[in-house]
Amino acid sequence: MIKFLQEQANITLTDEMRQKLDFYCKFLREENNKYNLTAITDEGEIWIKHFVDSILGSVAIPENATVCDVGSGAGFPCLPLAIVRPDVAVTLVDSLEKRINFTRSLCQQINLKADFFHERAEDFSRPHSEKFNVATARAVAPLNILLEYTAQIVKVGGIIVAYKTDLSELEIAANACRLLNLQFETHYDFVLPDGSRRAILVFRKIAPTPNKYPRGQNKPRKQPL
């Protein structure tokens, strides 16, 4: 897996990075019994399906970026990214307090700096409009819904990095891109060491997103753009 990350994402793991990821894996498995954070509990699968998968997004993230992970869950993808990319500053947003408590505790124990918000994406977005260079989202929602959750917080000229398995959702996201002032820019395709596929989709914000987005009252899911 170390060779895979070097070849695919130009990431070289130092001993310190490896130790932090090893602790992350152990801590996740221990705490999962209390918090039900992930269905993936095998050490090898955690490394491939959580760590390696998350780190692949590094190919799209510019140096010294401010990164906000919406629906951060157990910290994927932003905490593995922060471990291997110490140049980025990360913020985690999740609607469940137990997940925020887990990621905050993890960061304290591995001395990883991050900001944490126990909020729904809709509530977080308006007071943090255009604050970040990058928004990330992994296993959060269909693409058109995901874009509505993330567009407002990204600066004009910034990007949204969406983790998907392929490009099949691009068509349903076309109207959302138009309304949110986003433009699909590029994608990166990978085959993980276990044979599963990952597509990193990059959307550029080309103008301010109208203030009415994201909509409240769960409308992004009930009435997708």
Side-chain angles (χ1 to χ4, degrees):
M1 284 181 280
I2 294 175
K3 183 179 179 182
F4 179 86
L5 286 173
Q6 289 174 329
E7 293 176 347
Q8 301 294 321
N10 195 29
I11 293 292
T12 300
L13 293 184
T14 65
D15 289 342
E16 182 182 4
M17 293 173 185
R18 181 63 187 256
Q19 289 168 6
K20 287 183 177 181
L21 290 168
D22 282 339
F23 182 88
Y24 195 161
C25 181
K26 178 184 177 183
F27 190 60
L28 177 63
R29 296 176 76 190
E30 290 174 350
E31 297 298 292
N32 195 53
N33 294 327
K34 293 188 290 184
Y35 296 127
N36 191 27
L37 297 161
T38 177
I40 300 170
T41 56
D42 176 78
E43 182 177 347
E45 288 192 336
I46 289 172
W47 265 89
I48 293 172
K49 295 181 179 180
H50 283 328
F51 295 166
V52 172
D53 183 58
S54 295
I55 291 168
L56 288 175
S58 174
V59 299
I61 297 176
E63 289 186 9
N64 302 313
T66 51
V67 179
C68 183
D69 191 19
V70 175
S72 56
F76 309 119
C78 72
L79 293 187
L81 282 169
I83 289 171
V84 304
R85 288 282 306 274
D87 59 295
V88 303
V90 298
T91 296
L92 290 76
V93 180
D94 199 275
S95 61
L96 289 183
E97 187 175 13
K98 67 177 183 179
R99 295 173 181 161
I100 291 296
N101 289 341
F102 168 79
T103 51
R104 181 184 285 114
S105 179
L106 170 69
C107 287
Q108 289 171 347
Q109 294 186 68
I110 63 174
N111 194 28
L112 186 67
K113 186 177 180 181
D115 293 320
F116 305 89
F117 290 86
H118 169 218
E119 291 187 68
R120 295 175 61 86
E122 305 95 307
D123 299 325
F124 175 82
S125 292
R126 285 183 177 80
H128 297 89
S129 178
E130 298 191 1
K131 296 293 186 183
F132 300 93
N133 304 123
V134 180
T136 57
R138 176 181 180 264
V140 170
L143 188 56
N144 52 342
I145 299 172
L146 179 158
L147 293 177
E148 182 172 358
Y149 283 149
T150 53
Q152 190 63 248
I153 63 174
V154 176
K155 297 178 181 180
V156 175
I159 59 173
I160 297 168
V161 177
Y163 286 65
K164 294 291 180 179
T165 55
D166 53 42
L167 305 182
S168 61
E169 295 182 43
L170 275 178
E171 187 174 349
I172 67 166
N175 189 54
C177 284
R178 181 179 61 83
L179 294 172
L180 300 168
N181 291 323
L182 302 173
Q183 180 176 291
F184 175 61
E185 184 166 279
T186 191
H187 66 95
Y188 303 88
D189 295 317
F190 300 99
V191 178
L192 295 174
D194 66 348
S196 56
R197 296 186 176 275
R198 167 62 69 204
I200 305 293
L201 281 59
V202 181
F203 296 83
R204 183 76 60 181
K205 185 167 176 175
I206 56 177
T209 297
N211 289 332
K212 64 180 179 179
Y213 300 114
R215 296 164 293 165
Q217 301 178 326
N218 209 27
K219 285 185 178 179
R221 290 187 182 271
K222 292 179 179 178
Q223 302 171 20
L225 298 178

